[in-house]
Amino acid sequence: MTSTDRYLARGPRVGIRHFTAADRAEFTALSRQSAELHRPWLFPPDDDAAFDGYLARLQEPLREGFLICEHDSGRIAGYLTINNIVHGAFRSGAIGYGAFAPAAGRGLMSEGLRLVLRYAFDHLGLHRLEANIQPTNRQSISLVERAGFRLEGFSPDFLFVDGAWRDHERWAVTREMVPEDADDQTDRKDPADRAVQEGDRADRDVRRGGEAE
């Protein structure tokens, strides 16, 4: 990565970078376009006010937000956030993510997830990342399984999602479980890449969906 490269890390087809205010129009348009794919798991910002509030919360010290972009075109393929970051002896965070409809099923989300894992462990100093996923969200479970996450447990009535308290499985990965070349181990076609995950709330004021704090 050069000093002028806007990506924090690159894989064969995607790069990861932070959110900016300039992403508002593209991100919200993709959210509206992807509503059928996301429901009932995820409700990302789909208008200007919601995006601005979301962006502001991602500036908090215990959160990190990443856009997953096709680096040839710059188009946003999806996004991933790390919330509830704890340092000290724990060095952990909880992730949430969503693929947008134009990128679904193309393997881009798998590639982006691996880039974020390596960035979180190498540059943010984290040791563990957790994903809390509803048992019926099979595509999301498949995505984290392929990235090396292990099932750690089951939490009944864990998150308030789409109007009710929902059971979740707890999946996690630690630094030792991710190979050094993880960002290169991505299939070109990946059905799990349609995945959306309810652990990405960045604390929206109106709990329409299950994005977790």
Side-chain angles (χ1 to χ4, degrees):
M1 185 172 69
T2 68
S3 60
T4 58
D5 194 336
R6 67 181 189 160
Y7 294 112
L8 301 166
R10 285 176 175 263
R13 293 177 296 159
V14 303
I16 58 170
R17 63 176 177 83
H18 291 308
F19 285 68
T20 72
D23 298 311
R24 183 188 302 109
E26 182 181 4
F27 189 97
T28 55
L30 285 166
S31 294
R32 294 189 295 270
Q33 181 182 353
S34 306
E36 184 176 349
L37 172 65
H38 290 165
R39 306 300 187 263
W41 318 111
L42 192 64
F43 297 76
D46 59 5
D47 61 43
D48 289 355
F51 180 87
D52 289 345
Y54 189 77
L55 179 63
R57 288 186 287 276
L58 287 175
Q59 311 312 307
E60 296 173 5
L62 301 183
R63 303 185 195 274
E64 292 281 343
F66 305 92
L67 291 175
I68 298 167
C69 302
E70 298 182 65
H71 54 61
D72 289 342
S73 65
R75 289 190 297 264
I76 298 172
Y79 68 102
L80 187 150
T81 61
I82 307 176
N83 303 296
N84 299 335
I85 295 173
V86 179
H87 295 289
F90 196 24
R91 287 188 286 166
S92 182
I95 67 168
Y97 46 79
F100 289 122
R106 295 170 53 200
L108 303 179
M109 200 69 195
S110 291
E111 188 176 316
L113 173 57
R114 289 183 172 98
L115 290 173
V116 172
L117 292 182
R118 179 52 57 201
Y119 185 84
F121 295 145
D122 289 350
H123 298 281
L124 300 181
L126 298 181
H127 176 255
R128 178 181 177 276
L129 290 173
E130 177 175 312
N132 296 292
I133 308 171
Q134 292 185 56
T136 52
N137 191 348
R138 299 309 307 173
Q139 290 174 330
S140 188
I141 290 172
S142 178
L143 183 72
V144 297
E145 281 187 302
R146 292 172 69 87
F149 285 63
R150 64 189 169 202
L151 179 63
E152 290 192 340
F154 178 80
S155 299
D157 300 332
F158 185 61
L159 292 174
F160 193 78
V161 180
D162 199 27
W165 291 99
R166 311 288 182 181
D167 299 342
H168 284 69
E169 293 179 357
R170 297 192 313 277
W171 291 81
V173 65
T174 63
R175 182 188 184 106
E176 294 81 5
M177 296 164 63
V178 178
E180 290 298 324
D181 59 348
D183 53 329
D184 294 326
Q185 300 178 5
T186 306
D187 293 338
R188 291 289 175 172
K189 297 290 185 180
D190 185 357
D193 241 52
R194 296 179 60 84
V196 295
Q197 208 279 92
E198 57 271 18
D200 166 52
R201 194 165 147 257
D203 196 25
R204 294 189 67 183
D205 296 326
V206 179
R207 292 194 176 188
R208 297 188 303 163
E211 298 122 85
E213 296 187 280

